[in-house]
Amino acid sequence: MKNFPLRRRPFLAAVAGLAAVGSAAMADSKRELPRIGIIGSGQVGRTLAALWVQAGYCVMLSARNIADAQGLAQTLGPLASAGTPLQAAAFGKVVVLAVPYGAIPALGRDLNRTLTDKVIIDPANPYVGRDGWIADVALRDGAGITTQRYFPSAHVVRVFNSIDMTSLRAEAHRPDPRLAVPIAGDDTAAVLKVKDLVEAAGFDPVVTGGLASARLFQPGSAGFELERDAAGLRSALHLHN
C-alpha cells in the first residue's frame, strides 16, 4: 500500500457484475474452497473480498459498523455475507486482518481463541504516526513476527501488504507475466493455502521464506511498493527459489 492514508478511489463500479461471475466459478469448482472471514471492510478488505468472490470463494465481511459490511456484501452478490468481527473469525477457515496495525493487540485479545489453528492473512502495515507503540515494535522486530505473538495458536502469513490496493485491482489477472505478490510464513501448509488464494486473486505468489523474511517487503524495505513479475521480484529481493 503506497501511502498512508490509503487513496480513496471509486470502488463499487469496479465490482459490478462480480456476483454472476463468482457464482459460475463456484458451480464449476471441482474442490471445496475454504471460506474466508475478513475483519474490516475498508480498501483492503473490500478489494480482496471482490477478487475472491470473483474466483468463487464464500466471504464474510465485518466492520465496527455492521451496516458498512452489509452494504458491501450486497454489492458482491450471494457468495458474500456480513457479520461481526467475531462471526467473521468463526466463519473463515482463512481469516484476513484487514485493519490498521494498531488494532492487532485488541484483536489478539478478543479473537485468538476463535482463531486457534486457523490461517491468518496479515496485510496490515505499521505506521508510527497512526498506530503508536505497536508500530515501533513491529518495525523493529518485523510485522509478521509481531502479529504472530498476538495469535500464538494460529498460523500467520504475511501477504498483500506491499502493493497498493489500487494497483492490485488494476493488475489482477493481467496477461502473463502476472504481477507477483510476496508471501512469508512459518507454517508450510498455511503458506500453500495462501499461495492458492494469491493465484485465485489473479497474481503470482513468491514465497520469501518464514515470517522473519516479511521484513523484506514491509514499510521502509526495498521490497515495499515493489511491482514486478515473479522473476523480477525474486531478483530484486535476492531470492534463489
Side-chain angles (χ1 to χ4, degrees):
M1 291 173 282
K2 291 187 176 179
N3 294 306
F4 168 68
L6 288 170
R7 298 190 299 256
R8 296 197 175 275
R9 301 283 182 90
F11 180 78
L12 297 181
V15 300
L18 286 183
V21 176
S23 297
M26 177 64 82
D28 291 340
S29 177
K30 298 288 193 291
R31 60 190 175 86
E32 183 179 356
L33 301 177
R35 299 189 304 186
I36 304 170
I38 300 181
I39 313 299
S41 298
Q43 290 286 343
V44 175
R46 62 181 52 203
T47 297
L48 295 178
L51 292 172
W52 286 324
V53 164
Q54 183 180 16
Y57 288 80
C58 290
V59 174
M60 178 179 284
L61 291 134
S62 66
R64 285 180 295 181
N65 181 355
I66 195 170
D68 293 339
Q70 290 170 334
L72 177 57
Q74 288 174 359
T75 70
L76 295 177
L79 293 181
S81 59
T84 66
L86 182 59
Q87 288 170 331
F91 173 86
K93 293 290 187 182
V94 177
V95 177
V96 183
L97 305 181
V99 296
Y101 201 88
I104 296 295
L107 289 178
R109 179 194 66 221
D110 296 341
L111 301 179
N112 179 55
R113 183 174 297 182
T114 305
L115 294 175
T116 295
D117 255 354
K118 295 191 178 188
V119 177
I120 292 178
I121 287 179
D122 174 22
N125 283 318
Y127 295 100
V128 175
R130 177 189 65 186
D131 301 312
W133 65 271
I134 189 61
D136 283 319
V137 174
L139 292 171
R140 181 192 70 209
D141 297 346
I145 288 174
T146 302
T147 300
Q148 183 71 77
R149 289 174 186 152
Y150 288 96
F151 300 91
S153 59
H155 308 292
V156 173
V157 179
R158 187 92 168 130
V159 64
F160 288 121
N161 70 288
S162 64
I163 301 174
D164 188 88
M165 293 296 114
T166 56
S167 292
L168 288 181
R169 292 196 294 270
E171 300 293 340
H173 299 286
R174 76 183 189 188
D176 288 338
R178 298 197 296 183
L179 181 67
V181 171
I183 303 174
D186 288 339
D187 183 84
T188 300
V191 169
L192 289 175
K193 288 180 181 178
V194 174
K195 284 181 67 178
D196 286 345
L197 288 170
V198 170
E199 290 175 345
F203 308 101
D204 277 345
V206 172
V207 178
T208 61
L211 274 178
S213 72
R215 296 178 66 99
L216 293 171
F217 52 94
Q218 73 178 31
S221 72
F224 188 62
E225 301 182 348
L226 194 63
E227 297 183 17
R228 300 286 190 276
D229 62 17
L233 184 62
R234 289 190 184 97
S235 176
L237 298 182
H238 306 289
L239 302 175
H240 303 292
N241 59 327

